[in-house]
Amino acid sequence: MPSDARSGRRAVLNRSRLVSRLQLAAMYAPAMLLFGAFVFYPLLSGVRISFTDWNGYSQHYSYIGLDHYRKLFRDPNIRTAFVNTLIYGIGSTIVQNAWGLAYAMLFNRKFAGRTVARAAVYLPVMISGLIMGYIWYFMLQYSGGALNDAMAAFGLAPVDWLADQRRAVSLILFITSIQYVGQAMVIYLAGLQTIPRMYYEAAEMDGVRAWSRFRRITLPLLAPAIITNVTLKLIGGLQLFDLVMALTAGGPGFSTHSFSTMINYLYFVSQNAGYSATLGIALFLSIMTITVVVNRYLYRKEVEY
Amino acid sequence: MSRTWKIMLPLVGALLAVIHLLPIYVALSVALKRPTDLTSRWQFPNYLYFEHFKNAFIDGELLRAFGNTLVLTVSTAILLVAIGSMTAYPLARIRSRLNRVWMNVILGVMMVPTLSIIVPLYSMMNRLNAINTYWGIVLILTTYNLPLSIFLYANFIRTIPRELDEAAKVDGCGHFGLFYRIVLPQLAPVTAAVLILKGLKVWNDYEFPLYFLQKPRNQTITLAISRFFSDTSFDFGSASAAAVLAVVPVTVLFLALQKYFVSGLTDGAIK
């Protein structure tokens, strides 16, 4: 009876499909559970907390609607932190990409001591941003700091490096860039090695100038490396925390705070958990928006080439 | 290459190396000087003085901090390798709409900043009595380092030819058997990359331990060092010695495994 045999085989197939589905579910389950418990649940409960005046530890709190969101837009300290977050995020993305690409072009040539120099540029990437900040403290200290010592040797007056907002923010941008430029460099170096030599040779034979070779060959073919680097730096820079904590802890006043350090301040120091959670949501949305918009733009560019 | 370039390049390279290592040199010079020695920090001491390092070790309880950090890093790394590879396999092999959604979820998680969820996460862990426990922070560190681990594994698995998979399927191997017997044994190179990249991230982490490990007994290295520097009138010498000591293990590891570090960073980066 052929029809019986067929239905029997179908039953076996169905059972094996079910087993296969279950196995798949089992393989996905641990990651799903972790994301659900430690990412999505907190994200949602953060929205709830942002509607309350909770102080972070008491049993009692009340719902205050959108008050924190309204406050967020009027708070001058939040405005400063927002501008700084953009400087740390977008600024360090631009600086590190340009700087890292320049290093990659340099280290793509063979010369004596190349390996050692490249390792020296890359080594700071390994170090915690917090510890790097502390290490830089010995350079920047007002009395006895290495930089002011050098200034004195040239007959210049000592500078209180971190006392002025503009200078402090620029220094934080500079230090995070000089620490992590090695990461961008290494990714660009790997990208450069994927570009076939003959493209350059052909262009050179046609008399194409160095700058045009860079614009027309190097940059377009580096697109994947550029996208990776820009994404990495944006996500990292927009949530900068440890370096700011080590160098200024947001001071003087509130002038060097990023969103991340401000969240920590509002939660730990002012015990305003509700407001802190609101700023957390703002930080998440800012990173999401900026990264997605920039990525879209870069992918469109890549397709164009 | 012209002759001037040939002479200039090594000089430029040497100059860059000096500039990038300068802050570490200055910190080392502070750590090695007697407190009474007020000479410039550019000048290395011409005597041996290790008192600051001794202080850092004893007062800062650095040995315990190293031990704690090692326990956290190793446990997190094991979970990352196990869960990361297991999640990545079907994600890389099966094309379905559900998997595309899943991949976007993972990408989204990568963009969640630590501090943005710290208030609700802390209150949740508090309710679970998980503050100051290792299991609590290990699960959190695993969760937030998992997306990139899954990505690296998925990218690597896509490059493995499917012939063996098909053969095993014909022999009646299920998804799990296929993963465990056929795919897993081939994952050594990408596992090295995950261990290095993510191990370093966990080792250097500051935000999560700051919130979830508040007892001096279970503090990590970054916390131990920050204790030195957060005193208003801190002892410069011992603090810099502590910072230098924290840099040593990472440096040694880097110099020993340089090749893997660089390939680990770049393998997943460019398609």
Side-chain angles (χ1 to χ4, degrees), chain A residues 37-58:
Chain A
F38 297 107
V39 181
F40 297 114
Y41 174 73
L43 274 176
L44 288 179
S45 100
V47 174
R48 193 181 61 84
I49 294 173
S50 75
F51 295 135
T52 71
D53 61 357
W54 190 44
N55 60 8
Y57 53 86
S58 117

Side-chain angles (χ1 to χ4, degrees), chain B:
Chain B
M1 222 183 323
S2 66
R3 275 196 53 200
T4 31
W5 266 113
K6 231 171 204 155
I7 304 165
M8 284 297 289
L9 279 179
L11 289 177
V12 173
L15 186 69
L16 291 180
V18 169
I19 289 173
H20 280 266
L21 297 180
L22 214 52
I24 300 172
Y25 163 84
V26 168
L28 190 62
S29 139
V30 174
L32 285 170
K33 271 183 187 171
R34 289 196 187 95
T36 49
D37 183 344
L38 295 177
T39 54
S40 167
R41 285 173 187 171
W42 298 104
Q43 206 181 313
F44 227 63
N46 54 6
Y47 51 82
L48 288 175
Y49 178 78
F50 291 113
E51 212 52 31
H52 291 318
F53 285 94
K54 215 178 94 196
N55 286 344
F57 253 111
I58 294 164
D59 298 345
E61 299 174 296
L62 279 194
L63 216 52
R64 189 162 64 193
F66 274 121
N68 290 343
T69 316
L70 196 66
V71 171
L72 283 189
T73 309
V74 171
S75 342
T76 309
I78 292 172
L79 284 176
L80 282 175
V81 168
I83 303 178
S85 60
M86 192 168 74
T87 316
Y89 165 68
L91 212 51
R93 279 297 196 240
I94 302 168
R95 273 172 190 274
S96 69
R97 197 180 301 152
L98 199 69
N99 268 352
R100 213 171 310 138
V101 173
W102 199 189
M103 205 70 181
N104 280 324
V105 167
I106 294 167
L107 245 175
V109 172
M110 224 187 273
M111 278 188 267
V112 177
T114 307
L115 266 296
S116 76
I117 40 80
I118 209 77
V119 176
L121 193 59
Y122 185 84
S123 87
M124 177 181 111
M125 296 304 273
N126 202 14
R127 278 199 308 272
L128 294 172
N129 283 323
I131 310 290
N132 292 323
T133 63
Y134 282 131
W135 68 264
I137 193 165
V138 164
L139 286 183
I140 290 179
L141 285 168
T142 304
T143 306
Y144 282 88
N145 286 294
L146 198 51
L148 189 66
S149 313
I150 297 176
F151 249 68
L152 290 173
Y153 273 116
N155 279 344
F156 186 84
I157 292 171
R158 282 199 195 97
T159 67
I160 302 177
R162 281 162 173 268
E163 279 88 45
L164 274 176
D165 288 31
E166 302 301 335
K169 240 183 233 166
V170 170
D171 288 347
C173 231
H175 287 298
F176 197 79
L178 210 72
F179 166 70
Y180 192 72
R181 280 192 231 137
I182 311 287
V183 177
L184 197 61
Q186 304 182 64
L187 296 182
V190 65
T191 300
V194 169
L195 285 178
I196 285 169
L197 264 182
K198 291 286 115 184
L200 200 68
K201 191 93 200 323
V202 173
W203 181 271
N204 283 335
D205 198 77
Y206 173 56
E207 289 93 327
F208 287 128
L210 176 67
Y211 276 84
F212 298 107
L213 298 176
Q214 296 175 341
K215 291 220 173 86
R217 185 170 46 82
N218 52 22
Q219 71 186 350
T220 61
I221 296 175
T222 44
L223 290 182
I225 307 296
S226 78
R227 267 214 323 193
F228 266 100
F229 282 85
S230 51
D231 277 345
T232 34
S233 59
F234 64 89
D235 162 13
F236 294 143
S238 306
S240 65
V244 168
L245 283 171
V247 170
V248 170
V250 185
T251 311
V252 170
L253 205 71
F254 170 58
L255 293 178
L257 301 173
Q258 214 192 119
K259 215 173 65 194
Y260 301 96
F261 265 91
V262 172
S263 67
L265 188 76
T266 52
D267 277 351
I270 31 182
K271 302 164 273 183

Side-chain angles (χ1 to χ4, degrees), chain A residues 22-264:
Chain A
L22 281 177
Q23 282 192 337
L24 272 187
M27 290 173 92
Y28 282 150
M32 276 179 171
L33 283 176
L34 286 176
F35 290 153
F38 297 107
V39 181
F40 297 114
Y41 174 73
L43 274 176
L44 288 179
S45 100
V47 174
R48 193 181 61 84
I49 294 173
S50 75
F51 295 135
T52 71
D53 61 357
W54 190 44
N55 60 8
Y57 53 86
S58 117
Q59 301 287 326
H60 307 283
Y61 56 86
S62 44
Y63 284 89
I64 53 166
L66 291 172
D67 279 10
H68 282 145
Y69 290 87
R70 271 184 225 116
K71 191 173 160 198
L72 203 64
F73 285 98
R74 278 174 316 188
D75 190 335
N77 291 336
I78 300 290
R79 196 167 310 145
T80 313
F82 180 64
V83 173
N84 289 341
T85 301
L86 290 184
I87 296 176
Y88 299 145
I90 297 176
S92 74
T93 302
I94 296 171
V95 171
Q96 288 181 55
N97 274 283
W99 195 350
L101 182 56
Y103 274 6
M105 304 283 286
L106 175 75
F107 286 111
N108 206 27
R109 293 161 176 269
K110 282 205 169 69
F111 58 86
R114 175 174 77 152
T115 328
V116 178
R118 203 175 44 194
V121 172
Y122 192 71
L123 177 67
V125 177
M126 310 279 114
I127 299 169
S128 145
L130 185 85
I131 291 166
M132 204 55 181
Y134 290 139
I135 286 176
W136 266 88
Y137 178 80
F138 297 106
M139 302 280 287
L140 301 173
Q141 240 179 314
Y142 182 72
S143 61
L147 276 185
N148 278 344
D149 257 12
M151 302 275 285
F154 288 103
L156 297 165
V159 175
D160 199 348
W161 294 98
L162 297 170
D164 165 72
Q165 175 183 21
R166 258 206 189 158
R167 195 156 40 216
V169 169
S170 319
L171 269 170
I172 290 170
L173 172 61
F174 169 74
I175 293 170
T176 189
S177 299
I178 199 173
Q179 179 181 3
Y180 291 112
V181 67
Q183 195 183 27
M185 169 191 79
V186 169
I187 291 174
Y188 279 130
L189 265 174
L192 285 176
Q193 268 141 32
T194 64
I195 304 177
R197 252 229 139 83
M198 54 186 225
Y199 287 6
Y200 291 105
E201 283 156 8
E204 216 162 336
M205 274 205 285
D206 290 346
V208 181
R209 284 173 182 280
W211 174 247
S212 297
R213 289 203 298 268
F214 177 75
R215 281 279 333 253
R216 303 261 175 80
I217 302 174
T218 313
L219 271 189
L221 289 173
L222 276 182
I226 295 175
I227 293 174
T228 304
N229 266 332
V230 167
T231 313
L232 276 179
K233 298 300 171 194
L234 272 181
I235 295 180
L238 288 169
Q239 54 173 310
L240 189 66
F241 179 73
D242 45 8
L243 184 65
V244 184
M245 290 300 281
L247 281 176
T248 64
F254 287 88
S255 63
T256 58
H257 267 297
S258 68
F259 266 7
S260 286
T261 60
M262 198 68 196
I263 290 168
N264 179 64

